[in-house]
Amino acid sequence: SHGNKEVFSCRGILLAVQWFWDRGHKDITVFVPSWRKEQPRPDVLIRDQYILRDLEKKKILVFTPSRRVGGKRVVCYDDRFIVKLAHESDGIVVSNDTYRDLQNERPEWKKFIEERLLMYSFVNDKY
């Protein structure tokens, strides 16, 4: 949301990570589809892409798998990665997604998502 739905803002990810880091939370994992590493296209703008690589080197960011089949991009369902890790590590999920479909997938995930989902907003660069 940091890019106002006009551009994928890697700086927004960094601002969120920094907000939690500054409050003592060191076990932070960010999931981003691996196609975000690719050269941006005019219809899929991305800003400050180097931030993703920096966070990956620091073992904070994990790229979820994607590949091309017949010229089309095939991506994994990264929401499942997010909820599964948070549930297994007794963490929280920071997202504005409600994960309604995953709430019905596993009974233990429903209660977890209801109680451990932290939604957020940006006001300019303030997380």
Side-chain angles (χ1 to χ4, degrees):
S1 66
H2 184 256
N4 293 324
K5 297 182 182 179
E6 296 169 9
V7 64
F8 184 82
S9 173
C10 302
R11 181 166 164 66
I13 292 172
L14 181 60
L15 291 168
V17 167
Q18 194 64 54
W19 190 90
F20 285 97
W21 192 269
D22 290 348
R23 284 152 183 80
H25 303 283
K26 306 303 183 200
D27 187 8
I28 300 169
T29 303
V30 175
F31 287 101
V32 174
S34 63
W35 62 267
R36 292 286 186 188
K37 291 191 271 189
E38 298 172 6
Q39 185 68 29
R41 298 187 333 236
D43 61 327
V44 186
L45 298 174
I46 183 167
R47 186 179 304 138
D48 301 321
Q49 202 169 19
Y50 70 92
I51 290 171
L52 301 181
R53 298 248 187 237
D54 290 348
L55 290 172
E56 182 184 32
K57 285 178 189 167
K58 293 176 182 171
K59 301 194 183 299
I60 293 172
L61 185 139
V62 175
F63 286 104
T64 57
S66 68
R67 60 192 170 109
R68 289 204 174 270
V69 176
K72 293 189 176 191
R73 182 181 296 125
V74 177
V75 297
C76 71
Y77 188 50
D78 56 356
D79 287 0
R80 193 171 284 113
F81 281 89
I82 294 164
V83 172
K84 185 175 187 299
L85 177 64
H87 183 260
E88 289 174 356
S89 62
D90 197 31
I92 64 165
V93 174
V94 179
S95 178
N96 287 334
D97 189 328
T98 59
Y99 301 98
R100 280 192 185 97
D101 53 333
L102 292 178
Q103 289 185 37
N104 297 326
E105 192 170 296
R106 292 189 177 177
E108 65 271 23
W109 284 3
K110 179 175 176 40
K111 183 172 175 28
F112 180 81
I113 291 167
E114 288 173 350
E115 296 176 358
R116 304 302 283 278
L117 176 62
L118 179 63
M119 300 180 109
Y120 67 92
S121 62
F122 282 98
V123 176
N124 299 316
D125 279 350
K126 192 166 180 83
Y127 179 78

